[in-house]
Amino acid sequence: MRHLPSFMTKTRPVAYAAAAPALVLSQHLAVLLAFRLAGRELIPDAGFWLLPLRRFALLPDLPAWLAALAFAMSLFVAWALAVLSFRRARWSGGGYPIAALTIMPGVQVAAIAILALLPRFETDEAADPVAGRDAAHIVQGVLAGVGIIVAAVLVSAVTFGAYGWGLFVMTPFLAGITTGYLANRHTSLSAFDTAIVVLGAGALGTLALMMFALEGLMCIVLIAPLGGAVAILGGAIGRSIARIGGTRDKPLMSLALLPALFALEAAMPPAVPIDSTASIDIAAPPAAVWDAVTSDAAIESGPGLVGATGLAYPIRGRLLGSGVGAIRLGDFSTGTARERVTEWIPQQRLAFVVVRQPPAMEEMSPYRRVHAPHVNGYFDTGVTRFALTPLRNGGTRLTISATHILRIDPALYWEPIARFAIGRNVDRVLRDIRGKAERQRPR
């Protein structure tokens, strides 16, 4: 099949006006049902209507499968909106930049409304480009994709400090559209070849980010599945637009909208709370466990996968004094956290609040310093509590609970990664305390 039917056909205004809002509202309905099932109150404020799926991340103890299902739904809705919107733009013979915005939460409602009212323009349908490869246009497409990726990181991350849908979804989407369009302008590549060219542009773009010390390897690896999938979708759309020909506007015009989207996200950043709780039973009395909790000895076991990815992991805790108000220094792989003790009941409870955070991760890069703002201030820990509960068998149950704030979108994509790192770090601390307390028990 020479054409991609999902993008090459047309959608009439009435059908679009009915289907597109239904797709958007399906996200709101899914969130409403999830909150009802969880017995939680949902506040239908502006944030809910503009960014509905972000509310999933506000559910306490969000199961990993539900987070994955919700994120898969967001990708499906984005894909379906892209299909409908570009088919609607083709019916009008223009409006492709507006169609691109329909996958962007926060502005998609306005984009859908404008696109639904768009009149029909007089256009000439061009003949299909001949099959083949034009090396010059392929190189142009690849270079354009690389330039878009680097420029987007410079504007969104470095300038605005915004890490969200605009950078992680809209940028690879538009880079894919641009690369796919330029590579297929005069000669038509196959859908598979177009996807390869788009992924090649993405790979070179991320390599350029590393060479310019704008990002490290692990951040790129973590976002690659999402960015790659969205870029391939954009590449398919760009290829289809090139095969249509005779359009009044070109998809490259969509790029002018990126800075405005980055500024919008910087003005309304996410703040997703993540609460974690974990327990372990220790064959030692509370006194021995308390000594292990307040010990300044280093954690003996290795950090495992968390350390291999460059994410911060604890090394030791050092108490400067005792009682409420005492200072605790938490040594991490990325630096030292300064903490203040807020609760001190020997052999029962210890709690502290983090006053100064170390970086959340250490980027893997050939350079000593990487200009990636996301390592500071985008994942913070608030209060951490240790609770010791005596058991009837003479042992102790140790519970660690902590609060965290995640400030990166899409929250449904990043939250499971954050929870994984939190869980591995807490489990490592619990097992280390158990080992120290049980070895100390005979004394």
Side-chain angles (χ1 to χ4, degrees), residues 102-417:
T102 59
I103 73 165
M104 179 70 184
V107 298
Q108 63 184 178
V109 174
I112 288 171
I114 295 172
L115 195 60
L117 299 174
L118 205 65
R120 192 162 193 169
F121 304 109
E122 293 296 329
T123 58
D124 296 325
E125 293 288 339
D128 285 349
V130 297
R133 294 182 176 87
D134 189 319
H137 288 94
I138 292 175
V139 171
Q140 287 178 8
V142 170
L143 292 179
V146 172
I148 291 169
I149 292 171
V150 174
V153 171
L154 282 171
V155 176
S156 180
V158 179
T159 303
F160 288 108
Y163 288 89
W165 283 87
L167 182 61
F168 296 129
V169 176
M170 202 67 184
T171 294
F173 181 62
L174 291 180
I177 289 178
T178 304
T179 300
Y181 174 79
L182 292 176
N184 288 274
R185 276 186 301 169
H186 291 170
T187 56
S188 178
L189 299 174
S190 67
F192 177 80
D193 288 344
T194 300
I196 294 299
V197 171
V198 167
L199 291 178
L204 290 177
T206 54
L207 179 62
L209 293 178
M210 292 185 61
M211 296 306 297
F212 293 139
L214 295 174
E215 282 296 347
L217 175 62
M218 285 316 304
C219 182
I220 292 172
V221 170
L222 291 175
I223 197 59
L226 173 60
V230 176
I232 290 174
L233 171 63
I237 293 174
R239 173 178 180 268
S240 298
I241 296 175
R243 292 167 67 86
I244 292 169
T247 57
R248 289 175 63 92
D249 52 3
K250 304 301 181 183
L252 280 67
M253 294 174 60
S254 308
L255 302 176
L257 303 170
L258 276 179
L261 296 178
F262 298 151
L264 176 64
E265 288 196 313
M268 46 186 297
V272 178
I274 301 177
D275 297 331
S276 62
T277 302
S279 301
I280 193 171
D281 289 348
I282 302 174
V289 176
W290 178 262
D291 288 344
V293 168
T294 57
S295 170
D296 61 359
I299 297 176
E300 298 172 355
S301 61
L305 184 59
V306 173
T309 57
L311 297 172
Y313 60 87
I315 297 175
R316 65 165 59 84
R318 295 174 288 154
L319 278 165
L320 306 181
S322 61
V324 175
I327 297 300
R328 183 179 186 272
L329 301 180
D331 293 334
F332 284 79
S333 57
T334 57
T336 299
R338 187 175 180 85
E339 304 153 350
R340 185 179 69 252
V341 175
T342 57
E343 190 173 6
W344 179 282
I345 305 177
Q347 303 182 30
Q348 295 183 42
R349 303 186 71 85
L350 171 65
F352 49 85
V353 62
V354 180
V355 178
R356 185 182 64 209
Q357 305 272 350
M361 68 182 302
E362 183 177 2
E363 286 284 16
M364 297 182 184
S365 170
Y367 301 100
R368 177 172 298 180
R369 186 171 185 270
V370 178
H371 303 282
H374 64 81
V375 299
N376 287 294
Y378 292 83
F379 178 80
D380 293 333
T381 300
V383 178
T384 300
R385 293 183 173 86
F386 291 83
L388 286 68
T389 304
L391 301 176
R392 291 183 177 180
N393 61 5
T396 305
R397 175 166 296 157
L398 175 63
T399 301
I400 299 180
S401 58
T403 60
H404 315 270
I405 297 292
L406 178 66
R407 296 188 174 88
I408 300 181
D409 259 338
L412 286 174
Y413 183 83
W414 293 110
E415 186 189 13
I417 297 174

